[in-house]
Amino acid sequence: MFIKSTKTSLLLITCAVFFGVTSTASAANISWDNGGLDNLWSNDTNWVGNVEPGTADVATFDNTTSSNATIDTNVSVLGINVSSTYNGTITQATSVVTIGSSDFTMASGTWIGGTGSSSKIDTNDGSFTLSGGYFSAPSSTGAASSIDVERNLTISGGIFSATNATTTFDASSASDDSTISCSGTLKG
């Protein structure tokens, strides 16, 4: 009886280790809720689930709250989605916002880019799409660029303001054929 119990236990432990090691994490959409009431991106309690979005997550601004947000730290996420139901303002302090393959998409609200030579938005393997709202690019006079776009830049609505800003297309491989499409408003 003891040998059978030991073999069963070893089998269960082996399965748990195997499945635990080989399972893959999937991207999570983590919504802004300003639960910490201080409007700071870096405060985990300001996000649903009390976890700040990371490199495998899409930071989502939607109808969970219309509270404003301040990006008070350098950020690296899989994507940023500002949905048509979000009406708040996202202010980027002097920071770098790095976005992966799930793109930067904005359909409403206001984005105020940071100022200074270290303020930047960098879309790695992703596109930038503005379909509504007001986007003010990071203003980085003297810096190489304010926005790096590796794939497509699409402005189909809203206002894209780029005073003292430079947009750079930084294709790193043959699959990075960028297109620029604009039927919205460009200012700056």
Side-chain angles (χ1 to χ4, degrees), residues 79-84 90 99-109 111 121-123 125-136 147-160 167 169 179-186:
I80 293 180
N81 177 18
V82 184
S83 79
S84 62
I90 303 164
I99 301 166
S101 60
S102 285
D103 306 330
F104 178 98
T105 59
M106 184 170 172
S108 186
W111 180 286
I121 296 177
D122 188 4
T123 59
D125 292 326
S127 296
F128 179 98
T129 301
L130 177 67
S131 61
Y134 177 82
F135 178 86
S136 175
I147 303 175
D148 286 346
V149 179
E150 194 162 324
R151 301 277 192 234
N152 302 315
L153 174 70
T154 303
I155 302 168
S156 60
I159 296 173
F160 182 95
T167 301
F169 293 92
T179 59
I180 301 171
S181 172
C182 180
S183 58
T185 303
L186 295 175

Side-chain angles (χ1 to χ4, degrees), residues 34-96:
N34 198 32
L37 303 176
D38 63 6
N39 296 40
L40 299 177
W41 180 294
S42 64
N43 183 345
D44 289 349
T45 60
N46 286 331
W47 298 93
V48 170
N50 296 329
V51 176
E52 178 184 347
T55 57
D57 304 313
V58 176
T60 303
F61 295 85
D62 56 21
N63 61 353
T64 302
T65 184
S66 61
S67 293
N68 298 334
T70 299
I71 303 173
D72 60 322
T73 186
N74 290 339
V75 170
S76 185
V77 292
L78 189 62
I80 293 180
N81 177 18
V82 184
S83 79
S84 62
T85 59
Y86 180 75
N87 294 312
T89 297
I90 303 164
T91 302
Q92 178 186 354
T94 303
S95 60
V96 176

Side-chain angles (χ1 to χ4, degrees), residues 117 120 140-148 166-168:
S117 61
K120 183 177 191 173
S140 57
T141 304
S145 70
S146 311
I147 303 175
D148 286 346
T166 303
T167 301
T168 302

